[in-house]
Amino acid sequence: MTHQTHFRTCNICEAMCGLIITHDETQVISIKPNPDDPLSRGHICPKAVALQDFRSDPDRVTKPLLKVDGVFTEISWDEAFDIAASRLRAVQEAHGRDAVGVYLGNPNAHKFGNLLNLPALMKALGSSNRYSSATADQIPHHVASIHMLGHPMLMPIPDVDRTDFMLILGGNPLVSNGSMMTAPGFGRRMDEIKARGGKVVVIDPRRTETAEKASAHYFIQPEADAVLLLAMIREVFAAGLDRLGPLEGHVEGVDTLRDAVQPFTLDMAAATTGIDANDIRRLAHDFASSPSAVCYARMGASTQSFGGLCQWASYALNLITGNFDSEGGAMFTTPAFDYVGMTSRKGRARTYPERRSRVSGQPLYNGEFPVSVMAEEMETPGDGQIKALLTVAGNPVLTAPNGRRIEAALDDLDFMISVDIHINDTTRHADMILPGTVALEEAVYDMVFHSFAVRNTATYARPVFDPPEGVMQEWELIARLTARLTGANQIGPSPEQVLNAMLPAGYHPDVTVEAMLDAGTAFDLGPLVPNLTERLETHDGQIQLAPQVFLDDLPRLMTHADSRDAQYPFAMIGRRQVRSHNSWTQNSQRLVKGRNRCTVEINFEDAKKLGISDGDDVQISSHVGVVTLPAEITSAMAQGVVSIPQGWGQSGKTMQVAAAGRTVSINDLTDDKRIDPVSGNAAFNGVPVQIELAS
Ligand SMILES: Nc1nc2c(c(=O)[nH]1)N[C@H]1C(S)=C(S)[C@@H](COP(=O)(O)OP(=O)(O)OC[C@H]3O[C@@H](n4cnc5c(=O)[nH]c(N)nc54)[C@H](O)[C@@H]3O)O[C@H]1N2
Ligand SMILES: Nc1nc2c(c(=O)[nH]1)N[C@H]1C(S)=C(S)[C@@H](COP(=O)(O)OP(=O)(O)OC[C@H]3O[C@@H](n4cnc5c(=O)[nH]c(N)nc54)[C@H](O)[C@@H]3O)O[C@H]1N2
Ligand code: SF4
Ligand SMILES: [Mo]
């Protein structure tokens, strides 16, 4: 058999690592890093090698399945589409359009065929009950961009490759390879910052892998980041170190911001964060006087009770130190596929939040309600109650706060349909599962993450292998379901054709599908360039430094009582691990082998007080649930804080490999009532818990 070489980017996480895959007609021979990829420069992680496992996973769903008398039974595609369309329409006829809820999971963001075809499906359903993993993740970033810059996807990206000072709050890019910051091989990029005389400072309740390698790390108490950042801004103003640099004349609200931060004194911030006042002062001065600097606040700072304020304060710190839209600061990408330009609403007023949720009045942004309210919207009778659910590549039972409340509600639905590759904690409640295609069976172009990358590149690849017999391309599945709902007798052009038609409107009209295929490895479209002032979409064309929505939330921050109390005296946070991705890669033997990594990390002083030793079974309880996990005693956790990894807890009846280790879902403990009211994002971090030796 002949061996062939295939170039593509890995699309598991946001890092877009360049791969060289050697294969024959049916099998992968090897998956290696591509040293010539201009973005990833030879970086990959163990998950890339596992791409081959997802294809041949013995537990993979490869036929349309219908539950008959409680048992999943194979049916034909024709039957599947007929039943799906008629059941969904029947629910809508009985209860209105909004009675069909939709949940779109994280893998959709990495599949351009899905991204291009899902809008038509959403339109055909016409329901406003839409949810996604975005409000379990990054909605505060979009909310800051909307209110400050006028477009939800105009996203400031740290210019990591040129900065002299990087301040990281609540991100662990050495493990995650960056988020809202595509930065593969972050460790090498950090080394390069230090080698050119720069600094990386990490603020995190855990001394993370990134913190270990950083120039400095400060432990912070969970959810105190906004206070820290506002105190730093106050100090920058007080020391006269503020400057708008190239954005002078384009910024509204400097005086309002200066006034608003006055209550956030160094002493107040020290008491709230646990970081010494002198350290905070020095941090502010070092940041503001560095030739260039960038503050990057991610998961830990977004998925918390003050996520909106954190992102606002992070943008504001960059802005008032002249580090916005300038080299080495926070910059804006100019990708080949220009989503921001294509969805421009310049000159047309928008109001935000667009709506509020029916039951508890939480904000809707980007056309989606917070996933935190999905359970109550299924449980609460009345107009607009969710009676049927469609999930596409999503596993909210394991990934949404208080996931088991969602799980309980699923069984009361009139109909549930999931497009997925596994029967798992979520999809086992479906009446129908439609099988999806996995990475190596699909074409790949990153429509989202090129927009978030620290360097502009572009790369396209066709599928390496055909899907298993009887499995259709996932985009086609979505298009066919849409056609069945609308009564159309054919589907539209392929994603490749659509992409090719859209590329000329982007920043690099020379980039076509054909040119990318010819190039093999990614096109290097150069470092980030200043461009913000032409792209602002605010009502007056100015950057809004002090939007009212954030000012209105400051009293809540000021009176921020710690969530912990006598009953639940610890704060729980999550963590990510190199060899797992969210909730779905755990069925790869090569990734889960070795010791069980689902442990609770506890500070050694706390453990001593509680008589807990390394490896002991510990019971962790919250307002919402109770789990038991082995303890990992460490000096890497701040006192009073414990950490549990996300993505575990597969029930295992169907995912055999994942079931081999005893693991639990962190979201059996997280509380759907803990929410950032400004953005609607779930507050996964800082959950009050009690820990004790399991009996
Ligand atoms: N406590 C806590 N909770 C968290 C987080 C945290 O840090 N802490 N992180 C949050 C974040 S950032 C995110 S993005 C969300 C993710 O939340 P989700 O998107 O709900 O979860 P995933 O684990 O990505 O689940 C993906 C689902 O898609 C299926 N799947 C995988 N590949 C494919 C495919 O190619 N095609 C199809 N059709 N299906 C596929 C999997 O079987 C699985 O059911 O979780 C959030 N939840
Ligand atoms: N290996 C791997 N890579 C991934 C993923 C994965 O599951 N595995 N998931 C991908 C996805 S969907 C996403 S969204 C990204 C996320 O990428 P990151 O944003 O880097 O997310 P985490 O690695 O969860 O890091 C969050 C950090 O916040 C800290 N933290 C928790 N609470 C607080 C707090 O209140 N304040 C501060 N300052 N810190 C806090 C935690 O200790 C942790 O170190 O990763 C992506 N990459
Ligand atoms: S870091 Fe992300 S993109 Fe890179 S190889 Fe690993 S999973 Fe794939
Ligand atoms: Mo995410």
Side-chain angles (χ1 to χ4, degrees):
M1 267 191 206
T2 52
H3 288 189
Q4 294 171 40
T5 305
H6 173 95
F7 294 92
R8 69 163 43 214
T9 49
C10 175
N11 67 342
I12 297 174
C13 83
E14 300 178 33
M16 303 195 296
C17 295
L19 309 178
I20 303 177
I21 302 183
T22 315
H23 64 97
D24 61 23
E25 279 71 17
T26 56
Q27 296 292 326
V28 167
I29 313 287
S30 68
I31 297 181
K32 299 245 158 70
N34 180 355
D36 298 327
D37 185 287
L39 182 64
S40 61
R41 301 180 300 178
H43 176 80
I44 58 167
C45 84
K47 295 185 291 299
V49 184
L51 280 171
Q52 57 194 305
D53 302 343
F54 310 138
R55 245 185 101 216
S56 55
D57 182 338
D59 297 328
R60 181 174 168 192
V61 177
T62 55
K63 297 276 183 319
L65 300 177
L66 180 72
K67 211 180 258 165
V68 182
D69 298 330
V71 181
F72 281 117
T73 313
E74 290 179 20
I75 54 170
S76 73
W77 280 105
D78 241 15
E79 280 176 281
F81 287 135
D82 277 347
I83 297 169
S86 63
R87 297 282 307 266
L88 290 170
R89 284 300 187 223
V91 168
Q92 289 188 314
E93 271 153 33
H95 306 285
R97 296 216 135 201
D98 290 345
V100 172
V102 180
Y103 176 87
L104 304 177
N106 172 274
N108 289 297
H110 302 267
K111 289 169 165 260
F112 81 108
N114 292 29
L115 290 177
L116 290 174
N117 284 282
L118 283 166
L121 177 57
M122 295 306 106
K123 195 164 168 229
L125 287 170
S127 167
S128 58
N129 256 322
R130 289 168 49 190
Y131 304 83
S132 78
S133 48
T135 47
D137 180 346
Q138 87 266 7
I139 214 74
H141 299 249
H142 300 296
V143 170
S145 285
I146 285 168
H147 291 289
M148 299 176 78
L149 312 175
H151 192 294
M153 285 289 282
L154 206 44
M155 203 55 72
I157 307 302
D159 186 13
V160 178
D161 295 344
R162 286 179 297 190
T163 196
D164 299 294
F165 192 114
M166 184 164 186
L167 176 64
I168 302 178
L169 298 97
N172 187 11
L174 212 75
V175 167
S176 67
N177 280 289
S179 178
M180 316 301 279
M181 172 184 77
T182 288
F186 193 78
R188 171 170 165 191
R189 294 191 135 96
M190 259 173 106
D191 285 340
E192 289 167 351
I193 296 176
K194 292 195 280 182
R196 57 179 184 261
K199 267 192 183 171
V200 181
V201 176
V202 172
I203 311 283
D204 201 298
R206 179 170 178 263
R207 194 174 59 245
T208 59
E209 295 76 356
T210 309
E212 290 279 0
K213 218 178 149 84
S215 323
H217 164 239
Y218 297 95
F219 283 116
I220 188 170
Q221 285 303 309
E223 306 196 294
D225 303 83
V227 171
L228 172 69
L229 290 170
L230 294 172
M232 286 177 67
I233 292 172
R234 184 183 189 276
E235 183 60 25
V236 169
F237 280 128
L241 292 170
D242 57 300
R243 59 188 178 95
L244 294 172
L247 292 177
E248 189 76 58
H250 296 277
V251 181
E252 271 301 311
V254 177
D255 293 338
T256 314
L257 177 69
R258 188 188 289 111
D259 289 346
V261 297
Q262 287 317 306
F264 298 92
T265 61
L266 292 175
D267 287 342
M268 183 266 195
T272 311
T273 60
I275 303 173
D276 189 88
N278 286 320
D279 289 336
I280 301 176
R281 179 188 292 116
R282 189 157 11 92
L283 203 51
H285 285 247
D286 286 355
F287 190 94
S289 29
S290 178
S292 70
V294 65
C295 171
Y296 167 69
R298 195 45 196 109
M299 273 292 294
S302 335
T303 65
Q304 56 146 288
S305 306
F306 303 99
L309 287 178
C310 282
Q311 292 308 327
W312 164 57
S314 162
Y315 286 32
L317 179 62
N318 288 326
L319 267 159
I320 60 142
T321 54
N323 288 302
F324 213 65
D325 196 35
S326 72
E327 281 184 22
M331 299 191 77
F332 296 82
T333 60
T334 47
F337 175 83
D338 176 24
Y339 182 81
V340 174
M342 284 181 22
T343 52
S344 167
R345 298 257 303 250
K346 241 182 202 165
R348 279 177 295 155
R350 310 181 199 220
T351 47
Y352 290 103
E354 296 144 45
R355 272 177 74 169
R356 296 216 166 248
S357 68
R358 180 179 67 108
V359 178
S360 61
Q362 297 297 344
L364 173 139
Y365 276 100
N366 295 352
E368 290 173 351
F369 290 110
V371 68
S372 295
V373 307
M374 199 164 88
E376 66 187 25
E377 292 293 337
M378 291 191 274
E379 291 165 357
T380 313
D383 256 7
Q385 181 186 7
I386 299 175
K387 302 287 246 177
L389 185 69
L390 163 67
T391 71
V392 183
N395 192 3
V397 172
L398 293 189
T399 62
N402 196 0
R404 300 297 168 190
R405 180 174 172 192
I406 292 178
E407 179 166 41
L410 295 181
D411 283 330
D412 290 333
L413 293 171
D414 291 349
F415 183 63
M416 175 176 168
I417 169 169
S418 295
V419 179
D420 211 285
I421 55 170
H422 279 137
I423 303 177
N424 59 26
D425 289 68
T426 298
T427 62
R428 69 192 162 99
H429 299 278
D431 299 288
M432 181 184 289
I433 304 180
L434 300 178
T437 29
V438 298
L440 299 185
E441 298 158 5
E442 296 183 334
V444 59
Y445 178 85
D446 234 304
M447 261 174 45
V448 176
F449 300 106
H450 282 303
S451 310
F452 298 160
V454 299
R455 188 176 184 88
N456 293 304
T457 63
T459 167
Y460 181 82
R462 291 205 170 121
V464 194
F465 301 109
D466 288 335
E469 176 83 39
V471 174
M472 70 176 76
Q473 286 290 331
E474 193 159 320
W475 70 265
E476 186 181 335
L477 181 173
I478 296 165
R480 290 201 182 280
L481 179 59
T482 309
R484 212 54 77 103
L485 283 162
T486 58
N489 48 22
Q490 59 185 33
I491 61 170
S494 75
E496 180 171 303
Q497 288 168 297
V498 178
L499 174 68
N500 208 31
M502 285 173 154
L503 284 170
Y507 282 92
H508 308 274
D510 295 348
V511 175
T512 60
V513 165
E514 202 180 333
M516 288 189 281
L517 285 170
D518 284 348
T521 172
F523 271 122
D524 188 0
L525 304 172
L528 307 183
V529 288
N531 60 55
L532 181 62
T533 49
E534 307 111 63
R535 298 171 79 189
L536 292 167
E537 300 204 3
T538 48
H539 64 280
D540 57 0
Q542 300 280 87
I543 296 167
Q544 308 297 311
L545 196 48
Q548 198 60 40
V549 54
F550 301 121
L551 300 177
D552 288 347
D553 200 31
L554 287 174
R556 189 174 66 95
L557 183 64
M558 284 299 294
T559 55
H560 167 230
D562 200 308
S563 312
R564 286 167 282 199
D565 57 24
Q567 194 188 355
Y568 297 112
F570 288 87
M572 179 185 73
I573 61 171
R575 68 177 187 274
R576 285 182 154 68
Q577 299 169 316
V578 172
R579 287 149 66 85
S580 77
H581 183 81
N582 296 344
S583 76
W584 65 271
T585 56
Q586 287 80 344
N587 222 40
S588 159
Q589 180 62 45
R590 124 178 41 226
L591 292 180
V592 291
K593 70 176 184 224
R595 72 181 176 90
N596 180 3
R597 297 185 297 277
C598 193
T599 59
V600 54
E601 291 189 347
I602 305 173
N603 171 279
F604 63 99
E605 299 280 357
D606 291 335
K608 201 156 71 185
K609 276 184 229 147
L610 295 166
I612 299 171
S613 311
D614 206 57
D616 281 352
D617 270 354
V618 173
Q619 179 177 294
I620 308 117
S621 42
S622 74
H623 285 281
V624 158
V626 185
V627 303
T628 301
L629 279 179
E632 213 167 324
I633 310 300
T634 172
S635 64
M637 291 305 301
Q639 261 184 278
V641 187
V642 298
S643 149
I644 296 181
Q646 49 90 249
W648 295 98
Q650 289 73 11
S651 65
K653 288 195 192 75
T654 48
M655 289 170 65
Q656 305 300 327
V657 179
R662 186 176 51 119
T663 67
V664 304
S665 169
I666 184 175
N667 290 319
D668 289 3
L669 295 175
T670 55
D671 187 345
D672 49 334
K673 298 221 171 60
R674 299 186 85 248
I675 193 166
D676 168 31
V678 169
S679 64
N681 209 95
F684 287 123
N685 292 306
V687 177
V689 294
Q690 173 61 300
I691 57 173
E692 57 209 316
L693 255 186
S695 44

